Amino acid sequence: MTTIDDVARRAGVSASTVSYALSGKRTISAATRLRVEKAIADLGYTPHAGARALASARTNVLALMAPLRPDVDVSVIMQFVTGVVTKARSHDYDVLLLTQEDAAGLSRVASGMVDGLILMDVEAQDPRIPVVTTLRQPTILIGLPEDSRGISCVDFDFDAAARMAVRHLRGLGHRNLALLGPPPAVLERHTTYADRLFTGYRAQCAADGLEPVIEATGTSHAAALAALDAVLTRSPGLTGLVVHNEAALASVVSGLRDHGRHVGEDVAVLALCPAYVAESQPIPITSIDIPALTIGEVAVEMLLERMAAPHAAETRLLAPTLHERQSTFPLQPPAPTGR
């Protein structure tokens, strides 16, 4: 196996000079660098990852903690993961994926395995936050905890998205609205995106003089149908439905049909989900896109900025964008009655 000493002998320099050429810690002349690079190429030398880390105090590895709980939609999680991994790779970083939900793994990987951390599925009072505030590596949260002082966060603006959904349906003339939201377990954990979604929905309904009908919705077909039945029982005159549960969306659409309610004709459906999910339904669904890939990319960019130089903590919330499709329609006012 070729060693750094072999490279040094071939280039006619010291091993430390080869190390400096690899790490960039000290300036060396262009001629010397060329000799070192030629020797590396001639010998096929590949620096050991551990040695590079010791030489540069960097591992070129980022940690992403994405807990895979039983109630989590893995397809949603993987959209964020893809954004993180592809952006990290474009900057020559690898990503270590941590799928446990406890904070014990954070201190372990931060002992020298990674250069920075990204945490997903953030709760209002997340038990991982006291741990990351003690680490030397910077951390970015994908989510917004109750107290984010001193921590940098990025997320979608769920509060604004919920308000936008209500305003859009109200603008089309719909007054009997309901929200089918995330699973009950997500609400019980106070995962912050769900809390902000419900806060925005209730606030906009109050502003528009509407009753905020809300139902937590499981991800299984049976659970989605049960949530829909509960909403229709509470609001039999329902004409506008907001859905934020990707796994349940198809079941909700078929369930409405079974109730004799046709999407785009009898009930206007608006979903908070990625565009491809909305477009893949039997009736293309008007949607407020959740830019999961972009959020993952922004998280990496923020982390690299903090690794390069100290930054004050900041929160970036990505603004919602609505794409109208066939599932929403203007509600015609009732015809005047004759005298």
Side-chain angles (χ1 to χ4, degrees):
M1 179 182 293
T2 303
T3 67
I4 194 170
D5 291 325
D6 297 328
V7 174
R9 281 193 293 271
R10 173 66 70 94
V13 298
S14 66
S16 61
T17 299
V18 176
S19 178
Y20 296 145
L22 292 169
S23 67
K25 276 196 165 185
R26 291 190 185 178
T27 302
I28 61 175
S29 70
T32 300
R33 180 176 295 279
L34 284 173
R35 292 206 310 274
V36 171
E37 290 175 350
K38 186 176 185 305
I40 289 173
D42 290 345
L43 297 174
Y45 173 66
T46 302
H48 186 272
R52 283 202 309 268
L54 290 172
S56 65
R58 288 289 177 89
T59 65
N60 278 73
V61 177
L62 308 178
L64 172 61
M65 178 172 266
L68 297 184
R69 299 181 173 101
D71 57 290
V72 167
D73 189 333
V74 176
S75 66
V76 176
I77 293 292
M78 290 310 299
Q79 294 165 37
F80 289 93
V81 171
T82 300
V84 169
V85 170
T86 53
K87 178 58 70 171
R89 192 62 256 155
S90 72
H91 289 279
D92 198 30
Y93 277 84
D94 294 314
V95 176
L96 175 63
L97 181 61
L98 308 175
T99 58
Q100 73 269 35
E101 56 184 283
D102 62 273
L106 293 174
S107 298
R108 183 171 63 253
V109 300
S111 63
M113 297 172 65
V114 300
D115 298 329
L117 302 96
I118 298 172
L119 271 56
M120 289 183 57
D121 203 32
V122 175
E123 299 172 8
Q125 297 183 14
D126 201 298
R128 298 170 295 178
I129 291 177
V131 176
V132 299
T133 55
T134 66
L135 304 178
R136 65 175 179 82
Q137 293 95 332
T139 299
I140 304 295
L141 304 186
I142 296 180
L144 189 60
E146 193 173 89
D147 183 0
S148 60
R149 288 175 297 178
I151 303 175
S152 291
C153 309
V154 59
D155 203 358
F156 180 61
D157 194 338
F158 284 94
D159 182 292
R163 294 172 188 265
M164 178 181 284
V166 174
R167 286 197 304 269
H168 183 72
L169 292 174
R170 182 68 185 88
L172 292 172
H174 299 276
R175 293 192 59 84
N176 292 309
L177 309 182
L179 167 63
L180 293 178
V186 172
L187 304 178
E188 291 166 6
R189 289 200 308 272
H190 290 285
T191 305
T192 59
Y193 77 84
D195 288 346
R196 288 181 282 129
L197 174 80
F198 284 12
T199 296
Y201 184 81
R202 290 190 178 100
Q204 192 61 49
C205 283
D208 288 343
L210 308 177
E211 180 187 356
V213 176
I214 297 174
E215 191 71 29
T217 309
T219 56
S220 71
H221 181 69
L225 295 182
L228 177 62
D229 288 346
V231 160
L232 292 175
T233 299
R234 292 174 60 189
S235 185
L238 178 80
T239 65
L241 185 61
V242 180
V243 181
H244 178 43
N245 190 317
E246 290 182 33
L249 182 57
S251 297
V252 170
V253 171
S254 66
L256 285 169
R257 185 177 60 248
D258 293 341
H259 279 278
R261 310 282 186 97
H262 298 286
V263 174
E265 297 178 16
D266 305 308
V267 180
V269 176
L270 189 157
L272 277 69
C273 64
Y276 78 90
V277 175
E279 292 169 348
S280 67
Q281 303 304 316
I283 300 293
I285 305 295
T286 292
S287 68
I288 297 175
D289 296 344
I290 298 179
L293 285 170
T294 302
I295 292 171
E297 292 170 352
V298 172
V300 172
E301 291 169 354
M302 292 174 66
L303 185 57
L304 296 180
E305 289 169 5
R306 278 144 192 78
M307 287 163 50
H311 282 68
E314 66 169 320
T315 295
R316 299 185 192 178
L317 293 179
L318 278 62
T321 302
L322 186 142
H323 297 277
E324 191 158 16
R325 301 186 179 91
Q326 294 168 232
S327 66
T328 51
F329 58 94
L331 188 66
Q332 298 298 322
T337 57
R339 295 180 62 88

